[in-house]
Amino acid sequence: MNYVTVIYLVNLILYAMYFFGRTGSEVDVSGLDYTVSGILSLFLIFAGYLNAKKGMIYRTILWMFFVNVFLFVCSGLFDHFGSDFNILSTSNSDSFLFTLAFIIYNGYLFPLTVILEGSGIVLLFPVVLSFILPSIGYIIGKKLHPNKQNPTEL
């Protein structure tokens, strides 16, 4: 079982339940929003740790990163090429669905999304964090639980 994938999807569900249950407008960001986002980020670090503890290879933690890269690239391609590139739509805002899927998929970073709204970097942070957070956990897990499958190799 890939713990990073499972925790990423659990984060999606947990943050959706939190987001739709909170009061106030979507641009009001409170300390509780940052706390929930931080806890869900810690879950991703823990998931990387669990992958390392179970002896999984490093690339198992990168699946969510690859999904984020795919959504990021598709969003940029559709935005750049417009309706001539997208065969599914004839409107000029073809990247909207990919950007929406990208933001929803990384909903646990909502406070960061609100703060950086209006800049192009808001779409780059989830890609970078989907690589960094599980990698930190994986490195910690490898340091605490070295691979004991091949004790003869040095």
Side-chain angles (χ1 to χ4, degrees), residues 115-143:
I115 290 173
L116 298 173
E117 184 180 359
S119 67
I121 202 158
V122 71
L123 294 179
L124 191 59
F125 270 118
V127 173
V128 172
L129 288 178
S130 68
F131 175 77
I132 291 175
L133 294 176
S135 294
I136 290 171
Y138 190 84
I139 290 169
I140 292 170
K142 278 297 184 187
K143 296 290 182 188

Side-chain angles (χ1 to χ4, degrees), residues 7-21:
I7 294 294
Y8 221 92
L9 296 175
V10 167
N11 278 356
L12 178 76
I13 293 167
L14 289 176
Y15 199 79
M17 289 175 17
Y18 167 73
F19 181 76
F20 290 118

Side-chain angles (χ1 to χ4, degrees), residues 6-99:
V6 171
I7 294 294
Y8 221 92
L9 296 175
V10 167
N11 278 356
L12 178 76
I13 293 167
L14 289 176
Y15 199 79
M17 289 175 17
Y18 167 73
F19 181 76
F20 290 118
R22 72 188 194 111
T23 58
S25 71
E26 62 272 359
V27 294
D28 295 334
V29 179
S30 67
L32 184 60
D33 292 330
Y34 291 111
T35 303
V36 169
S37 180
I39 290 171
L40 295 178
S41 296
L42 288 175
F43 284 169
L44 286 177
I45 293 172
F46 183 66
Y49 167 79
L50 288 176
N51 274 14
K53 183 179 177 183
K54 298 295 181 181
M56 296 181 183
I57 57 177
Y58 179 70
R59 86 175 154 235
T60 59
I61 68 165
L62 297 178
W63 285 110
M64 298 300 101
F65 170 70
F66 294 138
V67 170
N68 276 330
V69 167
F70 172 74
L71 291 172
F72 179 75
V73 168
C74 285
S75 176
L77 284 176
F78 288 143
D79 192 38
H80 181 71
F81 291 108
S83 61
D84 296 334
F85 186 74
N86 190 354
I87 61 173
L88 302 175
S89 175
T90 57
S91 67
N92 289 332
S93 62
D94 298 327
S95 68
F96 174 74
L97 289 178
F98 283 100
T99 305

